Amino acid sequence: MTLSLADRHITALMRQITTQDVIELVHPFAEWQTFGALAYIAECYGFRYADVRLVGKQKIAHIHLVRDTSPQARQRAAANSAAFHDPGPGRPVPGMYLGSLTPVPEAQADVDLITTLIRYDAAGAAANRKQLLAMAWAGPALFLLLAVLTGKYAVLLPLAVLTPVFLLGALRINVTRRAKLGERLLAAGCTPVRDDAGRERFVRPVSYRV
């Protein structure tokens, strides 16, 4: 039987849920909504979204979830394990239409909120302000030095000018995008906090869904 992409994602997720206390979702070409849906399913089985890291030159997203030991999470996991005791290809999973990662209406708001949290954290990881500012000024200096050494001013001087413009513009766009995501999280009742590393993040309100 040929599995759909959604079935393959779900199968890999359920394998981690049943064998690990820490889940890592790595799907290089997946959309953010796919990560949100997978994180939602994991949370239905007693996990909680923890963080996202962007790895490598391609900035591939690694979504991390950890087992939630709270009584509420255990109750939710037990209820979903009883209701969806054999999740997998061709069989239902919590909150999704059969055979897909498309949320049913009653799960849509939760999936959207998790997706927004992931995108907010990813935007923060992508916009290392100190690093981008350092690159914005070190880049032109390097191109100017190369121009003096090689005499290729026509090629290297435009790069010296455009590099800071591009990097500072990218930083500005990312900051604006992240601010809009933060507004959505505030509107959803999330609380802004700083984590142990000093990063700006959000904590969701307590959910009583099962």
Side-chain angles (χ1 to χ4, degrees):
M1 179 178 65
T2 301
L3 299 180
S4 68
L5 182 59
D7 280 334
R8 291 200 296 271
H9 285 333
I10 292 170
T11 299
L13 173 66
M14 296 309 302
R15 187 180 301 116
Q16 292 195 72
I17 286 174
T18 57
T19 61
Q20 300 173 195
D21 289 329
V22 178
I23 290 174
E24 184 177 56
L25 304 175
V26 186
H27 304 298
F29 302 106
E31 297 180 352
W32 292 118
Q33 190 76 10
T34 298
F35 285 122
L38 291 170
Y40 174 92
I41 296 171
E43 291 196 348
C44 287
Y45 285 100
F47 285 77
R48 61 178 173 81
Y49 164 68
D51 202 357
V52 56
R53 293 187 300 114
L54 301 181
V55 178
K57 293 182 179 180
Q58 303 303 319
K59 301 295 184 182
I60 295 175
H62 290 230
I63 313 300
H64 292 267
L65 300 102
V66 297
R67 195 172 293 279
D68 190 340
T69 59
S70 69
Q72 178 190 339
R74 291 179 178 179
Q75 179 186 5
R76 182 169 63 243
N80 282 298
S81 294
F84 304 91
H85 62 278
D86 188 27
R91 298 182 295 277
V93 295
M96 303 295 143
Y97 284 107
L98 185 63
S100 78
L101 286 171
T102 301
V104 297
E106 54 267 31
Q108 186 68 64
D110 281 328
V111 173
D112 288 344
L113 182 54
I114 297 172
T115 303
T116 303
L117 276 170
I118 293 172
R119 291 181 60 196
Y120 182 86
D121 289 342
N128 186 322
R129 184 179 179 83
K130 290 183 179 180
Q131 184 181 50
L132 285 176
L133 288 176
M135 292 171 60
W137 302 119
L142 175 61
F143 287 126
L144 287 173
L145 176 61
L146 289 173
V148 172
L149 293 175
T150 64
K152 296 181 179 180
Y153 293 96
V155 174
L156 295 172
L157 288 183
L159 291 175
V161 174
L162 293 175
T163 296
V165 172
F166 173 78
L167 291 173
L168 294 175
L171 178 61
R172 184 182 183 88
I173 291 171
N174 193 76
V175 168
T176 301
R177 182 182 296 123
R178 194 167 190 246
K180 290 180 179 179
L181 293 170
E183 290 173 2
R184 291 187 205 172
L185 294 171
L186 285 172
C190 297
T191 303
V193 297
R194 284 192 179 273
D195 66 10
D196 294 339
R199 298 178 302 167
E200 296 177 353
R201 304 190 67 193
F202 279 87
V203 175
R204 281 173 287 174
V206 175
S207 171
Y208 292 96
R209 64 172 171 80
V210 175

